[in-house]
Amino acid sequence: MWAVLASGAVLFPGLFLALRSSLRRVFRRWSDADVVLVSERLVSSVHALMATAAGVVVIMSCWNDVIHARHPLATDFVIYYGCPYMTYDLFAMYLSHFHRFRVKGHKEYQVHSLHTVQSFIRREALLVLHHIALLTVLLPITLVQTTHFLRNDQGDFFIGCLFLTEILIQVSLSEGWVHKANGGLVLLTFFLFRIALFPFMYWTYGRHYGLALHRVPAHLPLVTNLGSACILAPQLYWFILLCRKGYRLYRRSLAPPTAPPTAPSAKDQ
């Protein structure tokens, strides 16, 4: 009973509703879009910290035998928190999308409808596909329902590594040296935990079997390499977008400030 009550199926929606209600009372001038967005980001931060902590525990416990060592968090976290969070997050992202366009004055966003759902799916297609793929393929099949058949009760270390991808919390880049430093930290964190993590996992696998890094893909089943590629591809895409945005902000910071327009003098009139 307590496991069910403490699971993400109750924790994440409940925390979202509590934050939404509290923020609305405290920040009365905020729009519904602001309240929903901040509530969604805070819940995502909580999940990221939980996933990171679980990943560190699993990695440290399985480091001596990255193939056969087991830790219950590798599956329990997915069952109780991973799948519920992905389901909740889809709904929370839709709510954020809905209120954002409602505040902008779009008439079709006065009420929820099939049109608003379709618009959300079109605009956030990559994120929606990412969540659905995790829910329907990677999480329930590879980790939970058929663990014995697909993983043969092996590889908890690598599941722990995947938990670390949630350490990245999205932060907007902006002007000012603090925001620029923060933006650089976001890029570094994204690269380490969402891109470099994959060659690291291949390297640790090769270390276990005495294989050079370039020989590891040929030693793994095709489905493993395809799964890794499917996860890595959107990470590379998002990293390129982050780099482009950072570069634009850097170029903008180097541009000379635009002089304010001056009033015409009496001679010009």
Side-chain angles (χ1 to χ4, degrees):
M1 175 181 177
W2 289 110
V4 174
L5 290 176
S7 72
V10 175
L11 173 64
F12 298 122
L15 183 58
F16 175 80
L17 292 175
L19 287 169
R20 185 178 178 182
S21 177
S22 300
L23 291 173
R24 185 178 285 125
R25 289 196 302 268
V26 175
F27 302 98
R28 298 182 182 276
R29 294 185 179 181
W30 284 14
S31 67
D32 287 340
D34 295 330
V35 170
V36 171
L37 177 62
V38 173
S39 300
E40 178 198 353
R41 293 289 176 86
L42 289 174
V43 175
S44 297
S45 300
V46 170
H47 173 261
L49 292 173
M50 293 172 61
T52 301
V56 170
V57 170
V58 173
I59 290 172
M60 296 300 294
S61 299
C62 302
W63 177 255
N64 292 329
D65 187 349
V66 299
I67 301 299
H68 300 100
R70 303 299 311 277
H71 194 284
L73 267 180
T75 52
D76 288 351
F77 187 86
V78 173
I79 297 172
Y80 294 116
Y81 299 102
C83 289
Y85 172 77
M86 289 298 169
T87 305
Y88 144 80
D89 198 42
L90 273 175
F91 180 69
M93 287 192 305
Y94 164 73
L95 280 182
S96 181
H97 164 86
F98 177 85
H99 286 288
R100 185 169 71 251
F101 281 87
R102 186 178 184 180
V103 167
K104 290 180 179 179
H106 293 260
K107 295 182 179 180
E108 62 272 23
Y109 280 85
Q110 296 305 310
V111 294
H112 298 282
S113 65
L114 181 60
H115 171 78
T116 60
V117 174
Q118 290 175 337
S119 176
F120 163 68
I121 294 174
R122 286 195 302 269
R123 290 176 178 273
E124 305 292 347
L126 189 58
L127 280 174
V128 172
L129 181 62
H130 172 261
H131 281 61
I132 292 177
L134 287 175
L135 282 169
T136 59
V137 181
L138 296 175
L139 295 183
I141 295 179
T142 307
L143 304 183
V144 182
Q145 295 176 353
T146 54
T147 297
H148 177 73
F149 300 101
L150 294 182
R151 289 205 291 125
N152 196 27
D153 295 328
Q154 299 177 352
D156 282 9
F157 171 85
F158 300 102
I159 302 304
C161 288
L162 291 176
F163 288 165
L164 295 185
T165 61
E166 294 300 326
I167 197 174
L168 181 70
I169 302 173
Q170 295 182 358
V171 181
S172 298
L173 300 176
S174 184
E175 299 295 339
W177 72 268
V178 174
H179 292 287
K180 291 174 183 177
N182 186 58
L185 182 62
V186 169
L187 288 175
L188 177 63
T189 307
F190 197 107
F191 177 79
L192 290 177
F193 292 99
R194 292 209 166 190
I195 296 177
L197 180 67
F198 287 86
F200 169 74
M201 289 192 293
Y202 274 62
W203 174 80
T204 55
Y205 182 93
R207 184 176 65 93
H208 179 86
Y209 287 105
L211 298 172
L213 179 62
H214 69 276
R215 296 180 57 193
V216 171
H219 195 263
L220 291 169
L222 178 61
V223 66
T224 301
N225 291 314
L226 288 176
S228 297
C230 289
I231 299 175
L232 181 59
Q235 314 305 327
L236 290 171
Y237 172 75
W238 288 322
F239 183 69
I240 291 173
L241 291 183
L242 284 173
C243 288
R244 287 179 176 175
K245 185 173 183 179
Y247 179 70
R248 288 197 301 269
L249 291 174
Y250 174 73
R251 289 287 301 272
R252 190 184 306 167
S253 67
L254 295 180
T258 303
T262 57
S265 62
K267 182 179 179 180
D268 296 329
Q269 293 180 350

